[in-house]
Amino acid sequence: QVQVVEYGGGLVQAGGSLNLSCAASGIISSINDIGWYRQAPGKERELVALISPTGSTLYADYVKGRTTISRDNAKKMAYFQMNSLQAEDTAVYYCKFQVRPSYLSTWRDFWGQGTQVTVSS
């Protein structure tokens, strides 16, 4: 079985920075894209940032210029940093690994449990 766990989050002051990390474990053959998503109260889950196996990145327009996603393939980890947080960044943040487990020949998405980020003014 593959598991994904996020670390970090909590209460952040407006204008402050957020650092999250995410680790995948289990018998994994390959890892494809890794994404960070967020879901605010009453809203749909949305993609915030995505990173490919070769390091190409994609950011949602509302976080461009203040967010960095990175990964360490050897450690099976992903990282997320966001600066200049505002109240509208309050949400549960999720990490998703697209993985090919050793026991499967297809790709599967594995999600972390989510971590609450609350921006206080």
Side-chain angles (χ1 to χ4, degrees), residues 27-89:
I27 305 174
I28 297 171
S29 291
S30 301
I31 299 174
N32 198 16
D33 292 342
I34 303 173
W36 284 95
Y37 295 73
R38 72 185 188 186
Q39 187 167 18
K43 294 188 177 182
E44 298 288 321
R45 190 174 300 185
E46 59 186 6
L47 175 67
V48 181
L50 191 75
I51 185 166
S52 75
T54 57
S56 297
T57 57
L58 174 72
Y59 296 98
D61 286 343
Y62 52 83
V63 300
K64 280 182 182 176
R66 64 186 183 104
T67 299
T68 302
I69 185 173
S70 59
R71 62 191 283 168
D72 185 325
N73 292 326
K75 293 182 179 179
K76 301 175 188 174
M77 291 197 68
Y79 306 93
F80 179 85
Q81 182 185 38
M82 184 184 289
N83 300 317
S84 303
L85 268 73
Q86 300 301 318
E88 52 265 33
D89 294 316

Side-chain angles (χ1 to χ4, degrees), residues 1-3 24-33 53 71 73-76 97-108 110:
Q1 183 69 315
V2 176
Q3 289 187 324
S25 63
I27 305 174
I28 297 171
S29 291
S30 301
I31 299 174
N32 198 16
D33 292 342
R71 62 191 283 168
N73 292 326
K75 293 182 179 179
K76 301 175 188 174
F97 276 67
Q98 190 176 53
V99 167
R100 187 164 60 203
S102 299
Y103 52 87
L104 292 175
S105 59
T106 57
W107 296 99
R108 291 281 179 87
F110 290 88

